[in-house]
Amino acid sequence: MKTIGLLYSKSTAYTAELGERIAAAWGKGIEYVDIDTAHLADVEKHAALILGTPTYFNGELPSAWDEFLPEIEDADFSGKRVAIYGPGNQVETPVSFADGVGILARYFEELGAEVVGRTSREGYEYEHSLAECGDQFVGLIVDPTNQPELTDARLTAWIKQVKKEFGVK
């Protein structure tokens, strides 16, 4: 069985912490891929992908993602499922809350991937987010600064949901 690729940068603290927690809870069959040094071949070999990203400044991806995405711009991800997670701060960045998650979702959808792992927007207070899709987010959004008490439950439920959507037992 092919493994699940877990892509994020260890240089982004909250994203890395969440990635480590996802890997620990997932168990066997998941492999970390450092987005700082990743290439197309590193992601193509996986059955499905979990992508982690924070949002920088006013709704931007970190440089590691900005440098990686052009390498895969001509790739065909048809038939590949992708789940995306990221931390956000509703108080400090209410007009670009977790935009990085939305940016990655749209990018991978344009490459043919099926983005799974949608979560409810209920319980969040912000003005705008590119991660919105109707009454849901396109992935898991946690706010470890303003809602740390909700992170564990949100993460646990999301991992269970993504395993089901990936067809992992």
Side-chain angles (χ1 to χ4, degrees), residues 6 82-83 85 88 90:
L6 176 59
V82 173
Y85 73 91
Q90 302 165 80

PDB file of all heavy atoms in Angstrom, residues 6 82-83 85 88 90:
ATOM      1  N   LEU A   6       2.755  13.662   4.080  1.00  0.00           N
ATOM      2  CA  LEU A   6       2.435  14.746   5.001  1.00  0.00           C
ATOM      3  C   LEU A   6       3.441  15.866   4.761  1.00  0.00           C
ATOM      4  O   LEU A   6       4.599  15.763   5.150  1.00  0.00           O
ATOM      5  CB  LEU A   6       2.498  14.250   6.445  1.00  0.00           C
ATOM      6  CG  LEU A   6       2.292  15.251   7.568  1.00  0.00           C
ATOM      7  CD1 LEU A   6       0.929  15.927   7.469  1.00  0.00           C
ATOM      8  CD2 LEU A   6       2.441  14.557   8.920  1.00  0.00           C
ATOM      9  N   VAL A  82      -6.415  15.182  -1.492  1.00  0.00           N
ATOM     10  CA  VAL A  82      -5.569  16.091  -0.734  1.00  0.00           C
ATOM     11  C   VAL A  82      -6.390  16.682   0.400  1.00  0.00           C
ATOM     12  O   VAL A  82      -7.523  17.118   0.190  1.00  0.00           O
ATOM     13  CB  VAL A  82      -5.042  17.223  -1.648  1.00  0.00           C
ATOM     14  CG1 VAL A  82      -4.289  18.271  -0.852  1.00  0.00           C
ATOM     15  CG2 VAL A  82      -4.163  16.667  -2.762  1.00  0.00           C
ATOM     16  N   ALA A  83      -5.819  16.686   1.608  1.00  0.00           N
ATOM     17  CA  ALA A  83      -6.429  17.343   2.767  1.00  0.00           C
ATOM     18  C   ALA A  83      -5.451  18.418   3.234  1.00  0.00           C
ATOM     19  O   ALA A  83      -4.234  18.230   3.161  1.00  0.00           O
ATOM     20  CB  ALA A  83      -6.698  16.337   3.878  1.00  0.00           C
ATOM     21  N   TYR A  85      -4.459  21.526   6.208  1.00  0.00           N
ATOM     22  CA  TYR A  85      -4.665  22.095   7.534  1.00  0.00           C
ATOM     23  C   TYR A  85      -3.782  23.323   7.705  1.00  0.00           C
ATOM     24  O   TYR A  85      -2.792  23.488   6.994  1.00  0.00           O
ATOM     25  CB  TYR A  85      -4.360  21.071   8.632  1.00  0.00           C
ATOM     26  CG  TYR A  85      -2.883  20.805   8.808  1.00  0.00           C
ATOM     27  CD1 TYR A  85      -2.128  21.552   9.723  1.00  0.00           C
ATOM     28  CD2 TYR A  85      -2.225  19.834   8.062  1.00  0.00           C
ATOM     29  CE1 TYR A  85      -0.766  21.324   9.863  1.00  0.00           C
ATOM     30  CE2 TYR A  85      -0.876  19.605   8.212  1.00  0.00           C
ATOM     31  CZ  TYR A  85      -0.145  20.353   9.119  1.00  0.00           C
ATOM     32  OH  TYR A  85       1.204  20.135   9.263  1.00  0.00           O
ATOM     33  N   GLY A  88      -4.437  29.661  12.170  1.00  0.00           N
ATOM     34  CA  GLY A  88      -4.802  31.025  11.839  1.00  0.00           C
ATOM     35  C   GLY A  88      -5.012  31.812  13.119  1.00  0.00           C
ATOM     36  O   GLY A  88      -5.079  31.240  14.201  1.00  0.00           O
ATOM     37  N   GLN A  90      -7.648  34.622  14.386  1.00  0.00           N
ATOM     38  CA  GLN A  90      -8.865  35.379  14.082  1.00  0.00           C
ATOM     39  C   GLN A  90      -8.794  36.836  14.535  1.00  0.00           C
ATOM     40  O   GLN A  90      -9.436  37.693  13.940  1.00  0.00           O
ATOM     41  CB  GLN A  90     -10.069  34.738  14.780  1.00  0.00           C
ATOM     42  CG  GLN A  90     -10.296  33.304  14.399  1.00  0.00           C
ATOM     43  CD  GLN A  90     -11.228  32.619  15.363  1.00  0.00           C
ATOM     44  OE1 GLN A  90     -12.437  32.795  15.256  1.00  0.00           O
ATOM     45  NE2 GLN A  90     -10.691  31.852  16.300  1.00  0.00           N
TER      46      GLN A  90
END
